Amino acid sequence: MKFKLDVHTHTIASGHAYSSLMENAKVASEKGIKVLGTTEHGITMPGSPHIWYFSNYRVLPRELFGVTMLYGVEANIMDYDGNLDMEDSMLDKLDIVIGSIHTEVYNVGNVEENTRAFVNAIKRGKIDIIGHLGNPAVPVDYEEIVICAKENDVLIEINNSSFTTSRPGSFTNCKKIALLCKLHNARIVINSDAHFCTKIGEFSEAIEMLQSIDFPKNLIINDNPNELLEKLKKKGKLKDL
């Protein structure tokens, strides 16, 4: 599997990443990535950009080095009601929205409370992707979230960084999630969650796990970048594409 879509990446603007937007786009082009998403951390994460950063995405080019650029956010799910750390009016202006839980800004509860946080966030209708769901620090009912995501046309992310430098212990959980997605025919997206440019488009650990369970390729949206673009357009986004 050699995919051409990576829509969860960070630049130096996120505060704990180390490459510029131009560096990320150049490496993406060199690696054959056709669609690159820049999704800086939401505004409550320590070191994250000011809200003005997101409102000024409009000055950025739609294409860099032959790569179609998507400009979005990895929004923080803040509470059990599924509230995000950015206003709906701002989220509606972004190309793509990932909803994630980060323990730095979220009070981790029990399985029922954490599951409710994800489910409520999905049902709010502003999230396109659920980020790094397999984090063992945030226990949840994976099946309930997978079913809810499918019903609301939200992608479940398999985050390659969770297998390498982030969130130790995620592998077993991610495999469970993938098996549930396979069982329920729920769509997934593989992302690098790159915080340095050389990690753009690096999916090898995630792919190896998916191959080990004979995961259906037709459920992986990375195989067809245009499908994701059309999905976003149907939500009223990417009007200039």
Side-chain angles (χ1 to χ4, degrees), residues 6-176:
D6 191 358
V7 291
H8 183 173
T9 69
H10 299 274
T11 75
I12 195 169
S14 278
H16 58 276
Y18 300 92
S19 301
S20 70
L21 181 66
M22 292 290 280
E23 288 169 330
N24 280 1
K26 188 172 188 297
V27 171
S29 177
E30 291 168 352
K31 291 188 175 184
I33 296 293
K34 299 300 182 184
V35 177
L36 179 68
T38 294
T39 48
E40 310 295 7
H41 283 288
I43 59 175
T44 59
M45 179 69 81
S48 65
H50 189 277
I51 190 67
W52 292 350
Y53 179 90
F54 298 96
S55 67
N56 204 39
Y57 271 152
R58 62 184 180 274
V59 307
L60 297 173
R62 179 55 76 192
E63 184 176 295
L64 285 170
F65 303 102
V67 178
T68 297
M69 303 295 295
L70 304 184
Y71 303 108
V73 65
E74 184 182 11
N76 293 290
I77 299 173
M78 299 300 297
D79 52 39
Y80 309 142
D81 292 328
N83 291 308
L84 304 177
D85 64 342
M86 292 175 69
E87 297 291 333
D88 288 354
S89 57
M90 177 57 67
L91 295 173
D92 289 341
K93 295 177 183 178
L94 303 180
D95 294 336
I96 192 163
V97 177
I98 299 171
S100 301
I101 284 179
H102 293 98
T103 57
E104 293 84 356
V105 296
Y106 172 84
N107 183 28
V108 177
N110 58 34
V111 170
E112 187 277 329
E113 290 168 329
N114 298 331
T115 301
R116 179 153 40 97
F118 275 113
V119 167
N120 285 337
I122 291 169
K123 289 182 175 179
R124 290 184 70 245
K126 301 300 178 182
I127 291 175
D128 304 302
I129 298 169
I130 285 293
H132 48 71
L133 182 60
N135 185 357
V138 186
V140 297
D141 182 328
Y142 297 122
E143 187 161 30
E144 184 175 346
I145 295 170
V146 166
I147 291 172
C148 182
K150 181 184 178 181
E151 290 175 345
N152 289 274
D153 198 24
V154 170
L155 297 166
I156 295 289
E157 176 186 75
I158 299 297
N159 186 300
N160 198 77
S161 178
S162 292
F163 302 150
T164 55
T165 56
S166 307
R167 296 170 290 279
S170 293
F171 180 86
T172 299
N173 292 341
C174 290
K175 190 171 183 178
K176 290 178 182 177

